[in-house]
Amino acid sequence: MSPAGPRGGFAGLPGGVAVSHLSVYDWPADDGVCGGTPHLHLTCSEAYVVTGGRGAVQTLTVSGYEVTPLAPGTVAWFTPGTIHRLVNEDDLRITVLMQNSGLPEAGDAVLTLPPKYLTDPRTYAAATVIPADAPEAEKERIAGTRRDLALKGYRALREADGPEPLAAFHRAAAALVRPRLAEWRERWRRGAEAAAAATGDQLERLERGDASHLADAAVRAEQPSAYGKFGMCGRLDVYPGE
């Protein structure tokens, strides 16, 4: 689904967001809690629209640790830098809204691994990547292993005495993603920036009394391009990318 529309308009989802459907992992972690892998995003806000079940999202920022209950009808969102861990108490299902055309699922995420795994992209990838051609059981094993590894780093950050450990994690995360920033900037240009520019162009046209862009109206629909993909927080139904 291309975001480019007629006359330089924008044909992607409103605001250049993306969506996925998430069934949060119901496997118990090594602390006995069922749920996802703690991580943060560096450039994207993310929102949860709870569609079924019950649970919570644990968050950690420089302001401290919080727990936000999640139930059907809840809409919760957080900004870049928020470490978050989903907790599944009873078949928690969520529609996830992601900034920048789905960038959170396309690289803008760093798991809270212990510091020795954050030293360079290759070391980090070896601990986190789930091979696309791996058997289903192996994918599940890797997803569980990396979650429990991230929980070790997460607990250390929660229990830290003073702000430096969290600041050090922020620095390490920024260093890990730096090689991909040019690619991310291009996604932003094609998505959120293009969507904002299209609105500006439409406002200018209307101020001139020009409503010609309304003749380009169109309706689009998509079905998921993949079902049950292993994500950071659970099994994902994902939609076609750009």
Side-chain angles (χ1 to χ4, degrees):
M1 178 173 62
S2 171
R7 308 188 195 191
F10 181 78
L13 285 172
V17 302
V19 300
S20 64
H21 299 303
L22 172 66
S23 297
V24 180
Y25 290 134
D26 59 3
W27 324 319
D30 61 7
D31 62 356
V33 176
C34 297
T37 307
H39 62 281
L40 60 65
H41 305 296
L42 289 95
T43 66
C44 295
S45 292
E46 191 170 73
Y48 296 152
V49 181
V50 182
T51 57
R54 291 188 179 275
V57 59
Q58 301 175 352
T59 55
L60 180 64
T61 68
V62 295
S63 298
Y65 172 73
E66 295 184 49
V67 178
T68 301
L70 301 176
T74 300
V75 178
W77 64 96
F78 41 85
T79 56
T82 304
I83 295 172
H84 49 289
R85 178 198 187 188
L86 276 170
V87 174
N88 187 355
E89 297 171 355
D90 180 20
D91 191 25
L92 182 59
R93 285 167 283 121
I94 294 170
T95 294
V96 184
L97 308 180
M98 296 167 287
Q99 199 175 12
N100 296 318
S101 306
L103 184 55
E105 288 176 8
D108 181 19
V110 175
L111 309 187
T112 55
L113 304 184
K116 69 178 183 178
Y117 296 95
L118 305 173
T119 54
D120 63 83
R122 182 175 297 180
T123 301
Y124 178 80
T128 58
V129 170
I130 300 178
D133 58 353
E136 193 79 356
E138 178 65 4
K139 290 180 180 179
E140 182 172 320
R141 185 195 68 78
I142 296 171
T145 297
R146 73 177 184 182
R147 179 191 61 181
D148 289 343
L149 186 60
L151 283 172
K152 292 181 181 179
Y154 173 65
R155 284 195 293 268
L157 293 172
R158 278 185 55 183
E159 297 165 2
D161 183 15
E164 177 51 30
L166 184 55
F169 174 70
H170 289 168
R171 292 192 296 269
L176 281 174
V177 305
R178 190 172 296 122
R180 304 189 65 184
L181 293 182
E183 171 193 340
W184 293 7
R185 183 178 294 275
E186 183 57 30
R187 178 184 285 259
W188 164 71
R189 284 175 173 155
R190 295 194 309 266
E193 185 184 46
T199 299
D201 178 68
Q202 290 158 6
L203 290 169
E204 291 175 2
R205 287 173 180 269
L206 292 171
E207 286 177 344
R208 298 194 303 266
D210 176 3
S212 60
H213 66 281
L214 300 180
D216 297 324
V219 177
R220 294 174 174 81
E222 292 280 3
Q223 293 294 319
S225 58
Y227 293 87
K229 179 180 177 182
F230 285 92
M232 290 172 287
C233 297
R235 301 297 294 264
L236 294 165
D237 296 343
V238 298
Y239 289 82
E242 292 183 67

